[in-house]
Amino acid sequence: MSEVEKRYESAKSRYAAIGVDTDAALKKLKDIKISMHCWQGDDVKGFLNPGGELTGGIMATGNYPGVATTPSELRADLEKAFSLIPGKHKVNLHAMYVDTDEKVDLDEIEPKHFEGWVNWAKEHGLGLDFNPTFFSHPMFKDNYTLASPDSAVRDFWIEHGKRSRKIAEYFGRELGQTSINNFWVPDGMKDNPIDRLAPRKRLMEALDEVFEEKLNEDYTQESVESKLFGLGAEAYTVGSHEFYMGYGLTRDKLICLDAGHFHPTEVISNKLSSLALFSKGVMLHVSRPVRWDSDHVVLMDDELTEIGREIVRNDLLPITNIGLDFFDATINRVAAWVVGVRNTQKALLKALLEPTEDLKKMELQNDFTSRMVITEELKDFPYGDVWNYFCEQNGVPVGLEWLNEVQDYEKNTLLKRNAILER
Ligand code: RNT
Ligand code: ZN
């Protein structure tokens, strides 16, 4: 028996004593796919318009060496990250990550421009999610895309939205896993608008045009992502939470909740149970807003723990698509992915290791003392031993070991990349 197995056996009996089956928890964890966002790998630059500016109110800061600048570099980095993460997952692509030598614009993209990604996903047993890219483009005009008062601008983006749906449909058909196509639109104003209504009406109507054609939902489903504010859109964001709650619920779309898109003390964990009653499902952008929508790497903090609990305690896994959304360019980008995905899995595991039914019973019986004492004691239970065993079982490094692999990869691959760039 390995050291990891020995520790697992001991943890297993401690959990069994409070009625928790650790083997069952690990079996469930193995089936949970995390959608790993490709854009952490290249600081949200994409391949459509090399050297272009990042617009749309989001920002990546830092210049850590080794950034991916081609689809094959990005895929190599993703592969490295996945080799350090237990389980089989999905990659979340954006339209600007086209893989083609053709000069193609956002209103011209077709499934064939993503064939390289699909072949790669097949080879590695991965799913693919998608996002139309409504930013970093000259047609992002006066801070507007789909909500623009200029019909030429709107039409460009409507065409883009329609094309993105065909690509997501193609992903779903080819890979046999539903591809979630997430719509986030940065449109807004820096200072106080006079008319908040007209842009929202234009956005609603433009989206209705984009979604006119019915597509097979086994292949693709759309989600809509709200936001409170962005850089340059501090006073007003057209696609607010209320806007997309209304839109998503009336148009049968998934609601996307990004952890950084609300008031600084407002949390998304508390929204899941309400959405579960009214929406067909959710897409999560698990992120960490440090004082604002800063998109820091996801750490094991209270909100992540609570997100895991809300999903597991309320049995929301079947209607929840879990994706990540952060971009930190001051650290090794592969490490950023690995920390974010492993933490998200660990938060789910911690929740899976709770005696949920017993705790619910105590609550119903007004036994708030036991509820508090048990949940506090649970924080010191050896979930780390269960996690380590899960990693070993799934053939990925245990504990700190993965850092060595990232460091080797940096030395042998990432740093060489930059040397070539500098020549
Ligand atoms: C921006 C949104 C959006 C983006 C990605 C790149 O505030 O969170 O999800 O981060 O689409
Ligand atoms: Zn997001």
Side-chain angles (χ1 to χ4, degrees):
M1 218 191 257
S2 72
E3 191 55 36
V4 170
E5 280 171 302
K6 271 191 226 148
R7 284 178 174 275
Y8 176 68
E9 288 307 322
S10 140
K12 185 173 163 166
S13 57
R14 281 196 60 197
Y15 279 104
I18 55 161
V20 171
D21 179 345
T22 50
D23 290 332
L26 290 184
K27 209 163 158 272
K28 278 199 186 146
L29 185 62
K30 191 160 182 174
D31 287 336
I32 306 177
K33 287 184 195 288
I34 308 293
S35 187
M36 195 164 88
H37 57 313
C38 75
W39 52 91
Q40 164 62 66
D42 78 328
D43 315 335
V44 211
K45 291 193 180 87
F47 308 126
L48 194 75
N49 154 25
E53 206 198 336
L54 174 58
T55 63
I58 50 179
M59 195 165 67
T61 49
N63 53 4
Y64 200 84
V67 65
T69 56
T70 63
S72 45
E73 285 179 351
L74 187 55
R75 287 194 280 262
D77 296 352
L78 287 160
E79 280 171 35
K80 187 72 219 177
F82 281 125
S83 75
L84 307 172
I85 293 168
K88 281 282 169 205
H89 300 279
K90 286 175 121 180
V91 171
N92 200 359
L93 289 177
H94 239 284
M96 63 179 170
Y97 288 85
V98 286
D99 179 6
T100 176
D101 295 330
E102 222 180 290
K103 181 96 192 89
V104 58
D105 207 346
L106 289 175
D107 62 341
E108 299 164 339
I109 49 167
E110 291 178 51
K112 67 175 183 202
H113 302 121
F114 292 86
E115 215 181 289
W117 284 108
V118 166
N119 293 337
W120 173 78
K122 280 184 185 162
E123 195 184 312
H124 295 274
L126 296 163
L128 291 177
D129 289 327
F130 201 56
N131 303 256
T133 306
F134 292 100
F135 53 85
S136 299
H137 190 279
M139 281 302 259
F140 175 66
K141 282 214 168 121
D142 306 316
N143 249 4
Y144 276 135
T145 63
L146 286 176
S148 172
D150 177 345
S151 65
V153 174
R154 277 198 317 276
D155 288 347
F156 175 88
W157 292 110
I158 289 170
E159 184 60 29
H160 175 55
K162 289 184 177 172
R163 283 173 183 262
S164 77
R165 298 182 70 212
K166 295 288 172 164
I167 294 159
E169 181 190 45
Y170 158 72
F171 288 173
R173 192 187 322 111
E174 289 294 318
L175 301 172
Q177 296 182 41
T178 313
S179 177
I180 309 299
N181 190 16
N182 179 59
F183 282 67
W184 168 67
V185 173
D187 300 23
M189 283 198 193
K190 183 181 176 73
D191 222 331
N192 302 328
I194 300 299
D195 189 350
R196 286 188 163 83
L197 178 60
R200 291 195 164 130
K201 184 157 182 283
R202 289 194 295 265
L203 178 58
M204 177 184 77
E205 289 169 356
L207 286 170
D208 283 346
E209 263 193 66
V210 169
F211 296 134
E212 210 163 62
E213 188 183 345
K214 192 141 178 48
L215 301 180
N216 184 335
E217 296 217 333
D218 290 337
Y219 298 152
T220 183
Q221 288 184 25
E222 284 105 13
S223 56
V224 286
E225 180 179 8
S226 67
K227 189 165 173 171
L228 183 64
F229 71 92
L231 281 176
E234 288 85 355
Y236 170 64
T237 290
V238 183
S240 61
H241 183 51
E242 294 70 18
F243 177 89
Y244 280 124
M245 281 288 281
Y247 192 87
L249 297 182
T250 53
R251 270 67 170 182
D252 209 28
K253 301 293 174 204
L254 307 174
I255 307 287
C256 174
L257 297 176
D258 182 307
H261 288 192
F262 296 87
H263 289 283
T265 57
E266 189 178 353
V267 287
I268 63 168
S269 51
N270 187 26
K271 300 180 190 296
L272 297 174
S273 46
S274 298
L275 280 170
L277 296 175
F278 303 108
S279 81
K280 85 192 273 187
V282 298
M283 169 82 201
L284 295 183
H285 273 188
V286 182
S287 189
R288 181 166 53 104
V290 177
R291 305 183 198 288
W292 70 293
D293 180 36
S294 61
D295 293 294
H296 279 65
V297 177
V298 168
L299 302 184
M300 183 57 76
D301 59 12
D302 286 351
E303 172 58 357
L304 183 66
T305 306
E306 206 58 31
I307 291 171
R309 287 177 176 155
E310 286 297 310
I311 295 174
V312 171
R313 288 177 180 169
N314 300 315
D315 206 7
L316 302 183
L317 282 166
I319 59 154
T320 308
N321 301 280
I322 307 172
L324 306 183
D325 186 8
F326 51 77
F327 23 100
D328 187 339
T330 67
I331 53 177
N332 181 299
R333 295 170 184 81
V334 174
W337 273 322
V338 178
V339 169
V341 179
R342 285 174 65 129
N343 274 337
T344 305
Q345 291 179 293
K346 280 190 217 174
L348 292 160
L349 174 62
K350 283 206 274 184
L352 289 165
L353 293 173
E354 285 183 348
T356 310
E357 289 318 310
D358 289 347
L359 290 167
K360 283 185 181 169
K361 248 183 248 151
M362 286 165 209
E363 186 162 271
L364 269 180
Q365 290 160 357
N366 292 339
D367 182 3
F368 303 139
T369 309
S370 305
R371 180 184 67 179
M372 183 176 76
V373 171
I374 294 175
T375 47
E376 281 307 290
E377 283 300 322
L378 266 173
K379 290 179 181 169
D380 305 324
F381 266 56
Y383 91 90
D385 292 336
V386 181
W387 168 255
N388 286 341
Y389 177 69
F390 184 66
C391 289
E392 190 172 270
Q393 245 187 346
N394 286 281
V396 305
V398 171
L400 272 175
E401 285 164 28
W402 70 262
L403 181 59
N404 301 333
E405 293 208 27
V406 170
Q407 284 166 342
D408 285 347
Y409 185 70
E410 179 169 306
K411 194 165 124 237
N412 300 326
T413 306
L414 299 177
L415 292 178
K416 294 200 173 137
R417 243 178 229 174
N418 278 88
I420 297 166
L421 277 183
E422 274 153 25
R423 250 189 269 136

